[in-house]
Amino acid sequence: MSLAKRIIPCLDVKDGETVKGTNFVNLRSAGDPVALGKAYSEQGADELVFLDITASFEGRKTFTNMVTRVAEEVNIPFTVGGGINELADVERLLYAGADKVSINSAALRRPELIEEIARRFGSQVCVVAIDARMDDATTQHLTPTTQQWHCYLKGGRERTERGLFEWAHEAQERGAGEILFTSMNHDGTKNGYANEALRQLADTLSIPVIASGGAGCKEHFRDVFLEGHADAALAASVFHYGEIPVPELKQYLKGEGINIRI
């Protein structure tokens, strides 16, 4: 029997409130992150992810206080990310009550950070998040290939020359416990996940792959597990705005033959 698939609401936090956008822009408010986290925990979500999307110094203090409040209110594992650049940042967030940390830009800039976190706290604490975009494939009339997925820094603002697949494999080798892949092309579009890229990741990595970007209906979750071979599916707006209740989604997936915790 395979491990149960996980449903993970994601909360992007800016100035103490949950926000959501499309293709990483046009943010709008979605409510109080602590209240939302508690509601998802009670509804049967498997895990939560909280991302501080404007991790300035003041934002970090606000965010750390929020993490402490979340830890008091939820009884499921939760991951936090945003502005984590050194072990002291990891320690601060774990001490505040987080179960895992998610690193993205800092890992691309200094891949040794993955090894440092894994050595100090264990691989299970280290989630490497990858924001990647399929660039130029349509404009140049190219057949989409693995080489065209480029990793981006700074919340999708700055392109790097690192490819999605080679970077994911390096992150695994350095000690990452999970890969959280967000397709920037799919983010907020509600047209489904990047199942082809996800399948290639999941089939070639030995660590879990969390899918992010594109959920719009229950069928998309089914497809990301059956076609994308993802271990977990992360989504935001469909949960925040009540479009797909977590219990209803889980019952649907169970009916589709997917191993899911009810």
Side-chain angles (χ1 to χ4, degrees):
M1 187 73 164
S2 61
L3 287 173
K5 304 295 187 180
R6 290 171 286 152
I7 298 298
I8 307 178
C10 179
L11 299 93
D12 290 342
V13 180
K14 181 177 187 285
D15 303 326
E17 69 173 355
T18 311
V19 294
K20 185 63 193 118
T22 302
N23 301 125
F24 282 47
V25 293
N26 301 324
L27 301 178
R28 58 181 176 139
S29 175
D32 173 58
V34 180
L36 274 172
K38 183 179 182 182
Y40 292 139
S41 175
E42 291 170 349
Q43 287 171 25
D46 297 293
E47 295 184 22
L48 299 168
V49 171
F50 294 87
L51 299 176
D52 182 357
I53 62 171
T54 51
S56 64
F57 178 68
E58 279 304 309
R60 283 188 188 191
K61 289 203 294 192
T62 305
F63 189 70
T64 306
N65 292 341
M66 185 213 74
V67 170
T68 303
R69 288 166 52 221
V70 168
E72 291 168 353
E73 296 288 348
V74 308
N75 56 8
I76 57 175
F78 69 97
T79 301
V80 295
I84 296 170
N85 296 300
E86 57 187 8
L87 286 180
D89 297 326
V90 179
E91 197 159 40
R92 169 173 54 83
L93 293 165
L94 294 178
Y95 185 74
D99 297 279
K100 309 176 199 176
V101 296
S102 168
I103 55 173
N104 189 334
S105 299
L108 276 164
R109 288 197 200 96
R110 196 171 71 82
E112 298 79 22
L113 181 60
I114 301 170
E115 294 164 291
E116 292 167 7
I117 295 171
R119 261 200 312 271
R120 177 82 172 270
F121 304 106
S123 284
Q124 79 284 350
V125 161
C126 186
V127 178
V128 172
I130 304 176
D131 297 332
R133 184 193 292 278
M134 169 85 72
D135 285 324
D136 304 324
T138 50
T139 55
Q140 296 180 20
H141 306 291
L142 300 171
T143 303
T145 69
T146 58
Q147 303 316 311
Q148 290 156 348
W149 283 98
H150 285 97
C151 301
Y152 277 69
L153 292 165
K154 298 179 182 174
R157 295 180 190 90
E158 186 179 306
R159 177 177 143 161
T160 74
E161 289 311 305
R162 298 301 303 263
L164 164 64
F165 300 98
E166 50 104 359
W167 171 233
H169 280 83
E170 180 179 334
Q172 173 179 274
E173 293 306 307
R174 288 182 179 271
E178 293 180 279
I179 297 295
L180 167 52
F181 163 48
T182 300
S183 165
M184 293 172 62
N185 306 75
H186 296 71
D187 177 68
T189 64
K190 301 189 179 180
N191 292 324
Y193 292 91
N195 290 327
E196 198 175 318
L198 282 160
R199 184 168 60 250
Q200 184 168 344
L201 282 174
D203 290 355
T204 56
L205 293 172
S206 59
I207 58 177
V209 175
I210 304 167
S212 169
C217 63
K218 288 178 283 194
E219 289 76 14
H220 293 154
F221 289 89
R222 175 198 65 199
D223 294 346
V224 81
F225 294 133
L226 297 181
E227 297 172 19
H229 298 177
D231 298 278
L234 178 146
S237 56
V238 293
F239 295 141
H240 300 340
Y241 302 118
E243 295 163 37
I244 304 178
V246 173
E248 188 181 299
L249 172 61
K250 287 192 153 194
Q251 289 291 348
Y252 165 79
L253 292 171
K254 194 169 186 67
E256 292 291 317
I258 292 161
N259 182 18
I260 199 103
R261 291 186 195 91
I262 298 293

